[in-house]
Amino acid sequence: MTEADAVQILEDYIERCSNWGRWGPDDQVGTVNLITPEKVREAASLVKSGKTISLTMPYDMSGPQSGLLGRTNPILYQLASGPGYLQGEQQFLETASLRHLRETTGQPTIGYYDDILTMPTQSGTQWDALCHIFWGGKMYNGYSAADATTGGSRTNGVQNYTGRIVTRGIFVDLAEHRGVQSLEPGYAITADDLDEYLAAKKLEVGPGDALLIRTGFMSVRRHNWGDYAGGPSPGLSLHTAPWLREKDVAAIATDTWGIEVLPNEIECPQPLHVVCLVHTGLAFGEMFDLDALSKDTKDDGVYEFMFCASPLPATGASGGPVSAVAIK
């Protein structure tokens, strides 16, 4: 495929899949607009047992980040510690009566533990904001890339998603369906793959739904991440873009670093991001931990549920950590 062919494919998909202006010139949430009050009520009606399953990987130093793109794993720094408290570092908190109690009993009284979490906004389970990727000098809905300043993006920041991503979740466990631990790196998930899975599970995708797609790639890499962050990976094909747009999917979340297949299928970095994030305004969730959900689903056979995944309202951020939950 020539570079000209790649550009033509992108331009065709951009024209077919664009939602610019669909929800007005000031819109900054894209397909999350499809999550209406009616959609939230539909999602709530799926809750039968009250069971909750976390979909978020731990935020700690054992994560997958390798320094690529300057991203590190989260680091927790202590401002005040238990050992320090026991050594008397926090006696400044004590009142006269507490000091007397300590002197009488020989035991410490009041104390506390406090810390600082330092992390890139995209170091773990997170949503990409609509300001994250540019094309032709613009981000979603025609806002200028110049809005994404060193002080935070003036438009399309991740805080626009906060409190908004509560909808019907559909679990697409392709690894389990194929009987493999993980799809192979470089495997491009097609619209036919998705249709075949949904038909097998008797599921239909409706406007405003979130698709949670498990490739198994996090499962096989979590004890030795290697090049999980940015290396060859299974993921969605660029050619699923029209399918996602036609289905009016509100959000996609996967257990991979970048949602789309790596290496990319055409000579353009992250072309599905260019089409679906920049132009469709589709919410992209990356590094969702779907293994516990897979195990639970094998037990109960329930593939649809209430999906709650509100990111931290980090004003102007390119992405947002999220504590995501499936509620059955």
Side-chain angles (χ1 to χ4, degrees), residues 50-61:
K51 180 168 42 182
T52 61
I53 304 164
S54 174
L55 310 174
T56 298
M57 64 188 303
Y59 290 108
D60 58 33
M61 291 185 67

Side-chain angles (χ1 to χ4, degrees), residues 165-180:
I165 304 180
V166 179
T167 190
R168 175 183 180 237
I170 299 176
F171 188 36
V172 181
D173 193 350
L174 285 176
E176 175 65 22
H177 186 62
R178 297 284 176 80
V180 297

Side-chain angles (χ1 to χ4, degrees), residues 81-131:
S81 70
Y85 155 72
L86 294 172
Q87 292 296 318
E89 292 178 359
Q90 298 177 26
Q91 290 181 17
F92 66 91
L93 292 172
E94 293 181 340
T95 62
S97 59
L98 291 179
R99 283 195 298 273
H100 177 72
L101 179 61
R102 172 172 49 83
E103 291 165 358
T104 301
T105 65
Q107 298 296 321
T109 59
I110 185 71
Y112 72 104
Y113 180 52
D114 205 3
D115 42 40
I116 298 172
L117 182 63
T118 301
M119 58 185 284
T121 57
Q122 300 192 37
S123 62
T125 305
Q126 59 93 28
W127 291 110
D128 281 353
L130 293 178
C131 62

Side-chain angles (χ1 to χ4, degrees), residues 23 26-34 130 140-141 143 156-162 164 250 280-283:
W23 294 286
D26 300 324
D27 178 52
Q28 297 184 45
V29 296
T31 55
V32 171
N33 282 292
L34 296 163
L130 293 178
Y140 170 71
N141 215 22
Y143 289 106
N156 286 332
V158 79
Q159 77 278 4
N160 292 292
Y161 282 165
T162 302
R164 299 287 299 269
T280 307
L282 178 61

Side-chain angles (χ1 to χ4, degrees), residues 283-304:
F284 270 12
E286 297 168 341
M287 294 179 286
F288 276 60
D289 189 343
L290 304 177
D291 289 347
L293 180 60
S294 177
K295 182 178 183 302
D296 189 78
T297 300
K298 281 189 285 186
D299 291 338
D300 67 12
V302 176
Y303 293 86
E304 56 178 341

Side-chain angles (χ1 to χ4, degrees), residues 39 42-43 46 167-170 203-206 209-210 304-305:
K39 195 71 191 179
E42 177 190 348
L46 297 172
T167 190
R168 175 183 180 237
I170 299 176
L203 295 167
E204 292 187 7
V205 177
D209 286 338
E304 56 178 341
F305 40 81

Side-chain angles (χ1 to χ4, degrees), residues 33-288:
N33 282 292
L34 296 163
I35 304 175
T36 61
E38 292 75 21
K39 195 71 191 179
V40 176
R41 288 196 294 272
E42 177 190 348
S45 72
L46 297 172
V47 177
K48 307 299 183 184
S49 68
K51 180 168 42 182
T52 61
I53 304 164
S54 174
L55 310 174
T56 298
M57 64 188 303
Y59 290 108
D60 58 33
M61 291 185 67
S62 62
Q65 299 301 333
S66 62
L68 180 68
L69 305 178
R71 295 177 186 169
T72 62
N73 290 312
I75 302 174
L76 194 68
Y77 296 99
Q78 277 61 55
L79 289 174
S81 70
Y85 155 72
L86 294 172
Q87 292 296 318
E89 292 178 359
Q90 298 177 26
Q91 290 181 17
F92 66 91
L93 292 172
E94 293 181 340
T95 62
S97 59
L98 291 179
R99 283 195 298 273
H100 177 72
L101 179 61
R102 172 172 49 83
E103 291 165 358
T104 301
T105 65
Q107 298 296 321
T109 59
I110 185 71
Y112 72 104
Y113 180 52
D114 205 3
D115 42 40
I116 298 172
L117 182 63
T118 301
M119 58 185 284
T121 57
Q122 300 192 37
S123 62
T125 305
Q126 59 93 28
W127 291 110
D128 281 353
L130 293 178
C131 62
H132 179 44
I133 300 291
F134 312 130
W135 181 257
K138 297 184 182 300
M139 60 177 98
Y140 170 71
N141 215 22
Y143 289 106
S144 172
D147 284 355
T149 70
T150 55
S153 186
R154 291 187 291 267
T155 53
N156 286 332
V158 79
Q159 77 278 4
N160 292 292
Y161 282 165
T162 302
R164 299 287 299 269
I165 304 180
V166 179
T167 190
R168 175 183 180 237
I170 299 176
F171 188 36
V172 181
D173 193 350
L174 285 176
E176 175 65 22
H177 186 62
R178 297 284 176 80
V180 297
Q181 288 188 305
S182 172
L183 302 182
E184 290 296 321
Y187 183 87
I189 299 166
T190 66
D192 286 344
D193 289 330
L194 297 174
D195 282 333
E196 188 273 327
Y197 177 92
L198 293 167
K201 303 300 181 186
K202 297 181 173 57
L203 295 167
E204 292 187 7
V205 177
D209 286 338
L211 294 183
L212 282 63
I213 300 176
R214 180 177 177 269
T215 68
F217 199 52
M218 180 180 288
S219 179
V220 299
R221 291 295 187 91
R222 68 167 68 247
H223 299 298
N224 182 12
W225 291 109
D227 62 354
Y228 173 91
S233 168
L236 287 176
S237 168
L238 166 63
H239 307 296
T240 60
W243 187 94
L244 295 168
R245 173 62 179 81
E246 289 160 10
K247 298 288 187 183
D248 261 343
V249 172
I252 289 281
T254 73
D255 60 349
T256 65
W257 176 81
I259 289 184
E260 58 188 291
V261 64
L262 288 170
N264 297 130
E265 297 161 288
I266 64 173
E267 291 295 319
C268 173
Q270 303 296 78
L272 190 66
H273 280 65
V274 170
V275 177
C276 288
L277 191 70
V278 179
H279 294 91
T280 307
L282 178 61
F284 270 12
E286 297 168 341
M287 294 179 286
F288 276 60

